[in-house]
Amino acid sequence: MVRFALTVVRHGETRYNKDRILQGQGVDEPLSETGFKQADAAGIFLSNVKFTHVFSSDLLRAKQTALTIIGKNQFCKDIVIQYDARLRERKYGIAEGRPLSDLKAMAKAAGEQCPSFTPSGGETLDEVRARAKDFFEFLCHLSIEEDCQKEQAVLGMAGNGLEALEGGPVFPLRNHCSGLQVNSDTDRAAKMLSANILVVSHGAYMRNWFGYFVLDLKCTLPSTLKKSQLSSVSPNTGVSHFIINLGNEDVNKPEIICVCLNQDDHLADMNTKNM
C-alpha cells in the first residue's frame, strides 16, 4: 500500500482580504504585514515536519506564504518549491477587484446563491473542482513513483550488504492536531509514508478541493468536526492535514483520512484586532 501525508495551508492575509475585496486570479496582491506574521506563525507551527515535496499556487500571496513557511523549517530550507497554476484561486471574472458585496448583489440579481454563482468571465465550481481533482491525482501518481523508487533503493542496498535508508518523512501528528487521538494506527501511518507533501493555496479553491474529498471520495472526518466547518472558508494560513492510502495503487479509489481541517491554533498568540 502507498501512503502519503498531505498538508494544505491557505496563504496569509492581504489588504484585499482585510477589506473583503475579491482577488481571484486577476489581482495579484502581496501579503500584508499581518499576512507575513501569519505565515511566520504557520512556519513555526510546521517547523519540525519533514516535507518531501512543496507545491504552491503561482500567485504572489501564496508564493510568499510558502517561502516564509519553508524558511522556518528545520528540515526543508533548501527544498525547491514547485509553483503550479492548478492551485490558483477560483477565477471571478468581472467581480475581481470588487467588494464581495458586489458579487452577492450579482448573484441575487441572477436569482442564485453566492457560493455557486459564476460571474461573467469566471470559473464554475465544477471547473475549479476539475482543477483540484487533476492536481490531486497528480500527487497520487507522484507518491506511487516515490514509493517505487524507495523500494528499489532499499533492495539495491540490501543486495550490496548496506543498511536500509534512513531519514524518511517526519509527520508528528500528535504535535500538530489538537484533539487527535493517537493510536498504533496513527503512529504506523507516520512511519510508513511514501511522501509528505505541503501545498499552499487559496480559500475558495481549498473549499472546493475539500468538498471533492468529502462528497466524491468519501473522506473520513474527525468526529469533533462540525458540519458548518465543512462549508466554511479556511482562515488565512489555516492548516489542514490528510493521510491518503492508495490500496493496490489505485488513484481512483483512495482512502482519505482528514486529521484536522482549517486549524488556526498557531495564530492564537497573535494580536487579532486588525485581522
Side-chain angles (χ1 to χ4, degrees):
M1 175 183 288
V2 174
R3 174 183 284 118
F4 69 97
L6 174 63
T7 302
V8 185
V9 181
R10 186 187 175 195
H11 65 80
E13 181 198 83
T14 70
R15 65 187 179 98
Y16 273 37
N17 288 144
K18 182 180 177 182
D19 295 337
R20 297 178 65 80
I21 295 174
L22 291 168
Q23 296 167 99
Q25 298 182 15
V27 179
D28 203 13
E29 275 284 299
L31 296 182
S32 64
E33 181 180 353
T34 296
F36 276 111
K37 289 180 180 178
Q38 292 171 335
D40 279 338
I44 293 170
F45 180 66
L46 297 170
S47 62
N48 65 333
V49 180
K50 187 175 182 180
F51 295 109
T52 57
H53 303 79
V54 179
F55 295 91
S56 170
S57 158
D58 59 352
L59 297 176
L60 182 58
R61 55 195 184 275
K63 292 168 73 173
Q64 289 178 326
T65 302
L67 285 166
T68 302
I69 290 174
I70 292 305
K72 298 288 184 182
N73 194 283
Q74 62 177 304
F75 297 110
C76 307
K77 292 184 185 296
D78 297 325
I79 201 168
V80 176
I81 301 173
Q82 301 179 61
Y83 301 109
D84 197 310
R86 288 175 292 185
L87 294 169
R88 287 183 178 183
E89 179 60 292
R90 182 185 180 189
K91 186 178 181 181
Y92 285 99
I94 62 171
E96 291 182 351
R98 297 169 63 174
L100 177 60
S101 57
D102 284 7
L103 179 66
K104 292 180 177 179
M106 292 179 196
K108 185 177 181 179
E112 298 182 33
Q113 295 295 317
C114 188
S116 58
F117 171 70
T118 304
S120 178
E123 282 183 296
T124 66
L125 294 182
D126 286 343
E127 288 172 331
V128 178
R129 187 165 295 193
R131 276 201 284 130
K133 180 176 183 289
D134 183 62
F135 182 75
F136 177 65
E137 289 180 352
F138 159 74
L139 294 184
C140 291
H141 286 295
L142 174 67
S143 298
I144 291 170
E145 292 173 5
E146 289 287 318
D147 190 69
C148 290
Q149 290 176 6
K150 288 176 182 176
E151 284 188 3
Q152 291 172 1
V154 170
L155 288 173
M157 286 186 170
N160 291 323
L162 301 176
E163 294 181 359
L165 290 173
E166 297 181 354
V170 177
F171 188 64
L173 299 177
R174 72 183 73 200
N175 299 330
H176 290 75
C177 295
S178 57
L180 174 67
Q181 293 183 350
V182 179
N183 54 39
S184 59
D185 289 339
T186 304
D187 282 338
R188 187 162 56 251
K191 294 174 182 176
M192 297 174 62
L193 297 176
S194 301
N196 192 3
I197 300 169
L198 172 65
V199 170
V200 179
S201 188
H202 305 264
Y205 178 90
M206 288 165 57
R207 180 170 60 184
N208 277 269
W209 189 4
F210 299 162
Y212 164 66
F213 277 179
V214 174
L215 297 176
D216 294 21
L217 301 181
K218 309 304 179 185
C219 172
T220 300
L221 298 170
S223 59
T224 56
L225 191 70
K226 298 178 181 178
K227 192 173 182 180
S228 60
Q229 291 176 268
L230 282 175
S231 58
S232 299
V233 173
S234 170
N236 289 109
T237 68
V239 177
S240 298
H241 289 303
F242 303 88
I243 295 289
I244 294 91
N245 297 315
L246 300 172
N248 299 319
E249 300 184 357
D250 187 350
V251 300
N252 296 312
K253 296 181 180 179
E255 177 192 11
I256 303 177
I257 302 168
C258 176
V259 180
C260 58
L261 191 73
N262 300 334
Q263 182 172 313
D264 62 354
D265 292 3
H266 55 285
L267 301 179
D269 294 333
M270 288 184 59
N271 181 351
T272 59
K273 290 182 180 180
N274 295 318
M275 287 172 56

